[in-house]
Amino acid sequence: MTESQRTGGEPAPDEVLAGVAEAVPAPEPAPALEPLGAPGLEPLAWSSARIVLGGLVLWALALVVTLAVPALHTGERDWWPWCCVAGLALGSLGYAYMRRGRGNAAGAL
C-alpha cells in the first residue's frame, strides 16, 4: 500500500517520479558531427600585428569622425571620443606586444 492510498490524499512526489522514470525512454546518442569547411582549405597566413594595426587605423578614423561631427561628441555622447582614445591606447599596447614577437600565432606552433 502506497502512502497516498494510506492517507487518502495526493501521491507523494517520489511516487510520481517513479512512474515518470519508467515511462520516459532514454535519449538516443547524437550523430557524430562532420567538420566544417571544404577539405584541403587552410587558414590564411596573416600577421597578427597587421590585424592589430588595421584596428588602430579604424579607431583613429572613428576618432576623427567623432571630433569632426559636433553631434557625435556633445551632450549624452561626450564620452564617444574617449572611447576612441581608449581603443587607440589599448591597440597601441597590443601592437607593441605583437611587434616584440609575443602573441603571434605563427610562433605558437
Side-chain angles (χ1 to χ4, degrees):
M1 175 179 269
T2 64
E3 185 179 335
S4 62
Q5 292 172 340
R6 280 188 291 137
T7 60
E10 294 188 18
D14 57 340
E15 293 175 9
V16 173
L17 292 177
V20 170
E22 295 170 1
V24 176
E28 295 182 21
L33 297 176
E34 296 180 19
L36 295 176
L41 287 181
E42 295 293 324
L44 296 175
W46 283 49
S47 168
S48 299
R50 182 176 278 174
I51 294 172
V52 173
L53 189 60
L56 281 171
V57 169
L58 291 175
W59 277 117
L61 179 65
L63 180 61
V64 168
V65 169
T66 304
L67 293 176
V69 179
L72 296 179
H73 66 270
T74 56
E76 292 286 323
R77 298 180 181 147
D78 60 347
W79 59 272
W80 283 21
W82 292 110
C83 182
C84 298
V85 170
L88 282 169
L90 292 174
S92 297
L93 288 173
Y95 185 72
Y97 185 78
M98 296 290 169
R99 294 301 300 165
R100 290 184 59 182
R102 300 180 182 183
N104 198 351
L109 296 176

